[in-house]
Amino acid sequence: MASTVEKAARLQELHAAPELLLVVNAWDAITAKVVAETPGTKALATPSHGIAASRGYPDGERIPRDEMIAEVGLIVRVAGDLPVTADLEAGYGDPGGTIARAIDVGAVGANLEDQMKPLDEAVRAVAAAVSAARSAGVDFVLNARTDAFLKAGDRDPAAVLDEAITRGRAYLDAGASNFFVPGKLTEEQISRLVAELGERKVNIIGVPGSVPLETAQRLGVSRVSYGPWSQNVALTALAELTEDVYAGGGLPANTRKLN
């Protein structure tokens, strides 16, 4: 079994490699097993929204930190030698302590949201997380996230992009490994982010209608993850099965037994 230090080094390599890193988010043991055993999987990611929903909580740090960390630890165990990066929201009021707890259960990377807090406050959170990882002796992949586009409202898109770049630069300067910009971004917006912040430094999310993976690769994006959307794919399949059964149908012919 690879050590936490070894898995962290591997995750750093995957983010810096010229090939786009794809991580399909898993929210519990069985989904982690399915993703981990799928050929081509190089790393796993957890979705905070997905884990919270599966345990009966709304999104937004409503799930107790202990429950979130416990689920991350279970996914790490199922993933075996594959590195796991966890979505830890904004750090549950204690970014450094939360990163330390995640490392204790074997996670080697994490998303940390800024929630559009004042920039100095958000930078302090990134610095605290980086410091905790260094104290643990782990080359942790801190994926500092901005909610600039998610909370843009009716603001001028150019101003939103400029603020995202300012925040990304500040977070990377504070020691973050990568910068995560969720939202339905255009090719032009992604291109500008990469040009300003560096190739293999910008991470995006796959959403309905997002740029094709080949475009993200060409633009120099480091990673594409799927957040709560992988769970929504599974839930859509469950809803459609239920609807079909009630209509007199049954299991789809292409159903595979994966557990």
Side-chain angles (χ1 to χ4, degrees), residues 151-212:
K151 297 187 175 184
D154 59 359
R155 291 180 62 202
D156 176 15
V160 174
L161 179 59
D162 286 343
E163 181 168 13
I165 290 168
T166 296
R167 285 177 174 264
R169 195 171 286 131
Y171 301 159
L172 292 172
D173 287 347
S177 307
N178 288 80
F179 181 53
F180 181 32
V181 192
K184 188 177 177 181
L185 305 182
T186 66
E187 181 174 342
E188 291 73 20
Q189 289 169 328
I190 296 169
S191 179
R192 172 98 186 281
L193 284 163
V194 173
E196 296 285 350
L197 301 176
E199 290 199 2
R200 314 304 168 201
K201 286 295 180 182
V202 175
N203 297 342
I204 62 175
I205 188 169
V207 300
S210 58
V211 300

Side-chain angles (χ1 to χ4, degrees), residues 46-49 68 72 85-89 92 110-111 113 145:
T46 73
S48 60
H49 189 168
M68 178 65 76
V72 170
T85 179
D87 185 339
L88 299 175
E89 305 198 60
Y92 302 92
N111 293 350
E113 303 170 6
R145 163 182 154 171

Side-chain angles (χ1 to χ4, degrees), residues 75-123:
I75 289 169
V76 168
R77 180 170 63 80
V78 172
D81 285 336
L82 292 171
V84 174
T85 179
D87 185 339
L88 299 175
E89 305 198 60
Y92 302 92
D94 177 21
T98 298
I99 295 299
R101 292 278 302 278
I103 292 171
D104 284 344
V105 300
V108 293
N111 293 350
L112 188 68
E113 303 170 6
D114 64 6
Q115 299 179 339
M116 295 307 290
K117 294 174 181 175
L119 183 57
D120 59 345
E121 183 180 345
V123 169

Side-chain angles (χ1 to χ4, degrees), residues 25 27-28 31 47 49-57 227-244:
N25 299 68
W27 57 92
D28 59 13
T31 55
H49 189 168
I51 288 177
S54 71
R55 299 178 75 92
Y57 297 97
W229 284 101
S230 54
Q231 187 178 63
N232 277 290
V233 169
L235 294 176
T236 297
L238 179 60
E240 289 177 349
L241 168 64
T242 305
E243 292 162 357
D244 196 46

